[in-house]
Each structure stands twice: as C-alpha cells, then as structure tokens.
Amino acid sequence: MKIVALAGGVGGAKLAHGLAQILKPEELTVIVNTGDDFEHYGLYICPDLDTVCYTLAGLANPETGWGRADESWNAIENASKLGGPAWFKLGDRDLGTHLERTRRLKAGDSLSQITQDFCKAWGIQHTVLPMSDQPIRTMVDTDEGELAFQEYFVHRRCEPRVKGFRFEGADEAEPAAKAREAVESADAVVICPSNPWVSVDPVLKILSLTPTPLPLGEGNRVVAISPIIGGEAIKGPAAKMYRELRIEPSALAVAKHYQGLVTHFVMDTIDSQLIESVRGLNMQALVTNTLMKSHVDRKQLASEVLQFIGVTV
Ligand code: GDP
C-alpha cells in the first residue's frame, strides 16, 4: 500500500506524524508545500518542510507547533541589536538547519536531496519531499497590494484583507521527480488538514492534481481532512481568508474547494449537520474527532482516515 500525504506546516505535520506512526517507511511519502519558502539573512528557509521534519523527528516545539524544542535565540537577538530584522524568529538550533541547507543549495544540491539527507540525519524513516526543486513563491493579493507570503503571514500578522493568491514560478516549475513518482504510484492521496488556499493549493497545482489529475491508479482515492472546525481554523488565517474572499468558512466550503478531486472527506463531529451537503458533492463523508491535541489523537485520526479509504494496515 502506498500513501502520499500532502502537507503544509502545523496542521499537515500533525496528521503526517499520525500516519507515520501507523504506516511502514516504504508506505508513506509526505509531499510538502514550498510556496512559503523565502530568503532571510541570506539563508534559504523552508518553514513547512522544517515543521514537518521536526515534527516527524520529535524535535518540534510542542507549544508553537513550529521551530524546535529547547530553542535559544542568541543569534537573532544579537543580529537585531546590530540593526537586523527581528520579525521572523529564527532559533539557534533552527539556524543550523538553514545554514547547512543554504550551503548545500549553493553547492548545487537539490532541495529534495538535501531534505532526504536531513531526514536521515534526524532519524526520519518515512520519505519527506518538497513539492518542487524549483522556487515557487506564494504571493498574497491584499487591500494593501501584493505581499510576499511571509511578509503577509509573519510580518503583517495576516492583518491585510486578502483578495487572492498567486504562486509565482508555478507555471514553469516541475514537481520534484520523486514527488511525481510517488503520486503516480500512490494507491491513495491524503490531503492533510492544512490551509487550502496557501498550503494545499500550491502543492495541487505543482503536482497537476487539478484540474487534470496525474494518472492515479484504478480505484484511486483522494481523501481530505477539513482544517476548518465549527467554522473556524484551529490556528492561522484559513477562516479569515474564506471570509475575506466572501465564502462562509465551514467544512462544506473546504469540501467544495476540493470538489472533483476528492473522493472522501473527513470533518469534525461538531460539523455533523453538514454531512448530507458534503455527500451531495459526490464524496463519501466521515464525521469524527479531527482536533489533534495529543500524539494519541494524531494516530487515532490517521487510523480512522486510513480505515475510511479502505486501507488495512
Ligand atoms: P501552516 O503553513 O503552518 O499554517 O500550516 P498548515 O496549513 O498545515 O496548518 C494550518 C491549518 O491547520 C489551519 O487551517 C488549522 O485550522 C489546521 N489545523 C491545525 N491543527 C489542526 C487539528 O488538530 N485538526 C484539524 N482538523 N485542523 C488543524
């Protein structure tokens, strides 16, 4: 059984971790959004890839969901005292990742290869890949003009009103070779509960999973888990984005977002009244607890998702 999980950062990493607790290393490939990547202090930073890897490796900061546990901030504090920007927090341990990744990229290695080597060093047995080895930059169109993603997300704390999104470089970019192979040989694709607009859409676009899907195998299943619970996001701007785009945020809105691609949809118990409307979109629907507060919750949700799409492990 081969499963591909598509993930952004925090929400994606939690379900990916649940799946990794159940599936064998050769059964799971996590393909991660790189539209949030950017350069800062001359370093190449991949926030979603790092969140997924730190989470799978057990190195993540449990309070923030991003960055590393047991972190210190000496380098960034000293840089900011010298006049450098302090709006993007980079911990000392985390900086080591960016230093080495930047060095390797400059030496000509691909982001896929570097990610695989880092995973090995961190003891991650499942495969984690960037969606592409070429740069793609999510740009957020707002009432204050177009902003680069981290400028909108971190520096401006998602305050400007969103009008739309553009994935710079996406039309020219190819999927990472191993990511394409993984999707082509997948029995099922799991769209993790990540932000549909800025975490999942870039991955779907790069992998050509919409509007003309790559040839998935016979009887293939694509399951999505709603990141919107009771009309709100657990973290981050997903619900705010839906509202600003004049769509009422709900699990149903997420299901509509993925209509035509997704065969199975998972939503929270709190949203059970939406189940018939979701089924009306030609999807099978499952209602369960989707809030992952603990490691046990992650594994439980992963196990229910796999059962729902008929994967026996
Ligand atoms: P980001 O790039 O770090 O913002 O990461 P993601 O896009 O992967 O995660 C943000 C999304 O994850 C938000 O829309 C949250 O609502 C969702 N999310 C976070 N934790 C959970 C959870 O425990 N359950 C569900 N269903 N969604 C979650």
Side-chain angles (χ1 to χ4, degrees), residues 175 179-185 204 206-217 220 261:
R180 181 199 288 273
E181 278 165 34
V183 173
E184 283 174 350
S185 61
L204 295 179
I206 293 298
L207 295 176
S208 308
L209 280 166
T210 184
T212 3
L214 281 173
L216 293 161
N220 231 300
L261 171 68

Side-chain angles (χ1 to χ4, degrees), residues 134-240:
Q134 290 153 272
I136 291 119
R137 294 290 170 266
T138 296
M139 304 296 293
V140 186
D141 186 20
T142 76
D143 57 356
E144 297 178 29
E146 194 175 61
L147 300 172
F149 183 76
Q150 297 301 343
E151 183 64 27
Y152 162 80
F153 190 68
V154 180
H155 202 184
R156 299 299 317 280
R157 298 193 184 91
C158 310
E159 278 161 13
R161 285 181 70 83
V162 162
K163 298 203 291 193
F165 307 96
R166 189 168 67 85
F167 306 118
E168 198 170 278
D171 289 338
E172 304 82 46
E174 292 288 322
K178 288 195 174 167
R180 181 199 288 273
E181 278 165 34
V183 173
E184 283 174 350
S185 61
D187 296 293
V189 174
V190 178
I191 301 179
C192 290
S194 289
N195 185 315
W197 300 103
V198 290
S199 292
V200 180
D201 278 358
V203 186
L204 295 179
K205 186 167 168 64
I206 293 298
L207 295 176
S208 308
L209 280 166
T210 184
T212 3
L214 281 173
L216 293 161
E218 187 75 13
N220 231 300
R221 287 139 287 170
V222 181
V223 58
I225 299 87
S226 178
I228 301 284
I229 301 183
E232 290 299 336
I234 305 305
K235 201 169 194 279
K240 181 176 180 281

Side-chain angles (χ1 to χ4, degrees), residues 31 78 107 156 187 230 250 265 270 294 305 311 313:
I31 302 177
N78 278 285
R156 299 299 317 280
D187 296 293
S250 68
F265 190 76
I270 207 172
S294 66
V305 167
V311 174
V313 283

Side-chain angles (χ1 to χ4, degrees), residues 224 226 250-256 259 262-268 271-287 308:
S226 178
S250 68
L252 179 61
V254 177
K256 283 186 181 158
Q259 195 176 8
V262 159
T263 55
H264 294 64
F265 190 76
V266 182
M267 55 213 239
D268 199 80
D271 296 314
S272 58
Q273 78 283 2
L274 298 172
I275 195 164
E276 286 313 321
S277 308
V278 170
R279 287 188 177 136
L281 301 174
N282 205 16
M283 297 172 188
Q284 295 190 44
L286 173 73
V287 165
F308 178 42

Side-chain angles (χ1 to χ4, degrees), residues 4 30 39 48 64 66 79 85 102 106 135 165 186 221 232 235 241 246 253 258-259 268 270:
V4 161
V30 187
E39 287 196 36
D48 286 355
T64 53
W66 55 266
T102 307
K106 286 202 170 139
F165 307 96
R221 287 139 287 170
E232 290 299 336
K235 201 169 194 279
M241 286 173 173
R246 301 186 197 289
Y258 296 135
Q259 195 176 8
D268 199 80
I270 207 172

Side-chain angles (χ1 to χ4, degrees), residues 97-150:
T97 306
H98 312 314
L99 282 171
E100 176 57 4
R101 175 167 43 224
T102 307
R103 186 190 72 78
R104 294 264 317 257
L105 283 169
K106 286 202 170 139
D109 293 334
S110 73
L111 188 57
S112 295
Q113 188 55 54
I114 298 167
T115 305
Q116 283 186 286
D117 292 346
F118 283 12
C119 283
K120 201 164 164 215
W122 286 324
I124 299 169
Q125 292 184 323
H126 299 79
T127 304
V128 181
L129 294 167
M131 63 186 187
S132 177
D133 286 322
Q134 290 153 272
I136 291 119
R137 294 290 170 266
T138 296
M139 304 296 293
V140 186
D141 186 20
T142 76
D143 57 356
E144 297 178 29
E146 194 175 61
L147 300 172
F149 183 76
Q150 297 301 343

